Amino acid sequence: MSELVLKAQERIASGVIAYDAVQRLKANPQDMGQRARFEAHKRDLGYALLLKRQMADPRAATPQQIEAAAWDTVPDVGLLFWSFRIMAAIGFAMIALFATAFTLCSLRMHLDARWFLRLAVAAIPLPWIAIELGWVVAELGRQPWAIEGVLPTFLATSSLSRGALWTTLAGFTALYGVLAVIEIRLILAAIAHGPEERNDQPAPAPSPPPFPSPPEGGQDMFDYEMLRLIWWALLGVLLIGFALTDGFDLGVAALLPFVARSDAERRMVINSIGPTWEGNQVWFILGGGAIFAAWPFVYAASFSGFYLAMFLVLAALILRPVGFKYRSKKPDSAWRSRWDWALFVGGLVPALVFGVAVGNVLLGAPFRLDGDLRAFTTARSSTCSRPSPSSVGCCRWRCWSCTARHGCRSRLSMVPSMTGRGRSARRRPSPPSCSSRSASPSSHGAISATGSSARSIRSARPIPCA
């Protein structure tokens, strides 16, 4: 252990030289002597940053402080030792449990071996314990580094405020807590209902397509300018694909409580996006992955600066699959109505936030760099939602292109009674005059059932105005 500490002390001293060269290069970038000095010690620059836990300028460190920083590179060996071994023991115990289960099931004795059933129930928390111990080993074992030898963990912290962190932590805890309660209640209801006999025959698995042979020959590397254009084009294709495909799903969800009145109509509306919504949102995930791969600096600054907005988007997107799954669990109309409004929130909030995001992209979001070249976004939620023409225009474009165009003019036209409602969601008709009122209630029912208001009004007998 002492040898590792001595080696860390040497690298910290070398890193202080690199840090001093960096500061001098900031003042005079043309100083070739300092540049050569930095090149000779740059591999140890991260070790000098360990001293920032104790002082602002590592160049003023004393030998005692350098020794203390070197000991920070030694993790808690005892905790890591036992955490890893308990995790490995649980893994071997699960292998033995599965082997025993396979043997008993092969011999048709698993239902009579009550000792094994009790053991299987007692082993339910073991995988979770093993996973948590694995995280303990991973997170404590890498200390004090977020990136080995480059970035200490205390410098890799986010620029978010405590209020933002506690708000999102409490929000996700409350959201998943409510969903857990609902899930447990549904499980208990399914247990009380008992098993159902099913005779469904599994469909034959499709044959896999032939694997294409790799192309022969190599390919030239692109320069930076060409790669930047390629990534911009790729990101544009992904975001446009998301707007065209998942925009329809968001629009249908946002207009669900308004264009469909009966449960059968709402079920038909949901079925129109049921086969495609999960695949359509992959465009958005790929867009975020493309930003992370091509511009990690932009990814880090934007996700930290717009943290609460991202929380709203994620919470709303979580409601969508939950609403699709839970809505049909009970035939109660109040139950289904609550999940219909949850789907409405899951469709409207992302479209609104994405519209504000497009407006702020056109206007620009300010950020700054600190002394360690870490990005801090100075824009916050109040700044991002400023009522500027570009932001409001892009917000309206994104929101209504998702809801009105995709939600009303697409597949909802397959139901005649809902076609008129989809159009009325985009443009409210003028109130009818007194001469166009119908004399009988049945004619009003014809208007709402067929959506052909003009034909029904012509056939209706006018009544005098009061």
Side-chain angles (χ1 to χ4, degrees), residues 82-97:
W82 289 109
S83 297
F84 177 79
R85 277 153 180 78
I86 294 174
M87 177 187 66
I90 291 176
F92 284 111
M94 296 302 297
I95 293 175
L97 183 65

Side-chain angles (χ1 to χ4, degrees), residues 188-203:
L188 295 177
I191 293 174
H193 184 270
E196 296 180 357
E197 296 292 337
R198 299 187 63 178
N199 297 321
D200 297 339
Q201 297 294 331

